[in-house]
Structures are given as C-alpha cells and as structure tokens.
Amino acid sequence: MDGDAFPAPEPDILAASFLVQVFAANSSKAAEWLWAGIEGEPQGGIERLGRLTYDAEELLRLPAAGLPRISDWLEASVKGDPSRCAVLDGPLRDSKLPLNLANTAFTVRKTLLEQAANGEERADHLNSLSVDLARIGSLDEALEAILEAVDIIRGLAKSRPEVVRTNLAVTLNNLSNPFNALGTRADA
C-alpha cells in the first residue's frame, strides 16, 4: 500500500482474477467502479481493460465459473448514457480492439447514432457501427449500416465535396469489408 492508493496487481492475469472477484462480491457497484477507473484516462483504461477482459474471459474462463464478465459491467456503465459513450467513442474505434469489448463498442455506437445531430455525424457512426457489427459476426447488419453511411455521404458530397471527400473514401473502403466477408468479392 502506498499512502491512500493500492498499487495495481501484476501480472494482468492476477489483476483480472482479483477484479472479477471484487466486482462479483459488489455487483451493484461494479459498473460505476469500472467507469470511475477509466473515465479519467479512457484510452489507457480501455487498453488495460481489454487485457484484463481477455485474461478473465479467455484464459481464466471466469464466466464459465458463474462469475460475470468484465465487459458486461463496462457495457452496463455506458448503456443509454450519451456523454459516457462520447468519452469512449475514440478509444473503442481502435482496429486492435479486443474482441471481448466488441459488444461494448456496439452499444456505444448505437447510443451515439441515436444522438447524431446531422448527416455527417450519422454517417460517421454508421461507418463505425458497421465495423463493430462485423466484429460480433453480424455481417448482414454491418453491410446494411455501411450502405446507409455511403448513401448519406454521397448525398453530402454533392453540396460539400471538400468536407466529405475523405469520409467517402474511408467509408467506401469499409464497404468492401462486409462484401468480402460474405464472399461476394466482386462487390467488394
């Protein structure tokens, strides 16, 4: 113990086991405690949480032991809260995001999509949502989301080509991913 702080347990697998045990014993507070631990440094928090989640869920198989999943607590901490979702928007766009956090990324994106203020924001969230849907295996829905994003951006490009040109290129690139995954390489 260092003053009023408890040093982070190491290695990660020990920390993961400890975290799940403590949170399971205090499940009514777990989501809020988890949020408090990542809100000040969301990028680093998501990176650490990704490692802990992987260790707890894949290596230790704690959900199989009847214990809740860390990712479920994270999802509960942001569900329906656009301000929290906005904080995690950037960190959850990481292409190396652990699969265990894909459902949280999906929840964040759906919440932000519902709050989109304009077509450009909507297209951006649909673009990211398509990636999240593909990660969780919902390829048809991923294709539907990215097609809607392409339609929105094409419409915006007519009136503001200088603003959306880059977004259109990224979105068209992401459009190829679900086609490729569905085996329609010609469409990709």
Side-chain angles (χ1 to χ4, degrees), residues 5-160:
F6 184 80
E10 290 184 17
D12 281 350
I13 199 160
L14 175 62
S17 179
F18 179 72
L19 183 70
V20 170
Q21 298 293 331
V22 169
F23 281 8
N26 299 281
S27 60
S28 65
K29 299 174 185 175
E32 288 305 308
W33 285 352
L34 188 57
W35 179 253
I38 64 172
E39 76 175 318
E41 188 199 349
Q43 184 68 45
I46 288 297
E47 289 171 10
R48 284 187 303 279
L49 195 59
R51 292 191 317 269
L52 294 174
T53 299
Y54 177 82
D55 286 351
E57 296 173 12
E58 300 300 321
L59 300 178
L60 297 174
R61 304 252 187 244
L62 293 180
L67 295 171
R69 297 163 37 108
I70 296 171
S71 54
D72 291 339
W73 283 312
L74 178 61
E75 191 172 349
S77 77
V78 299
K79 192 170 190 166
D81 189 330
S83 64
R84 287 184 177 184
C85 289
V87 169
L88 294 185
D89 184 33
L92 289 174
R93 288 179 187 244
D94 187 344
S95 63
K96 297 176 189 133
L97 183 71
L99 188 56
N100 301 51
L101 297 181
N103 283 333
T104 301
F106 170 77
T107 298
V108 164
R109 212 72 61 223
K110 283 290 277 187
T111 301
L112 293 174
L113 179 61
E114 292 167 3
Q115 302 294 317
N118 56 49
E120 196 170 340
E121 277 185 27
R122 184 167 177 75
D124 179 52
H125 293 309
L126 282 165
N127 188 3
S128 295
L129 179 63
S130 73
V131 173
D132 298 331
L133 286 164
R135 281 185 181 145
I136 62 174
S138 299
L139 296 176
D140 291 331
E141 291 177 67
L143 182 58
E144 187 178 311
I146 197 66
L147 286 171
E148 185 178 345
V150 168
D151 286 345
I152 291 169
I153 291 176
R154 282 185 172 151
L156 291 170
K158 292 175 186 173
S159 62
R160 299 175 33 221

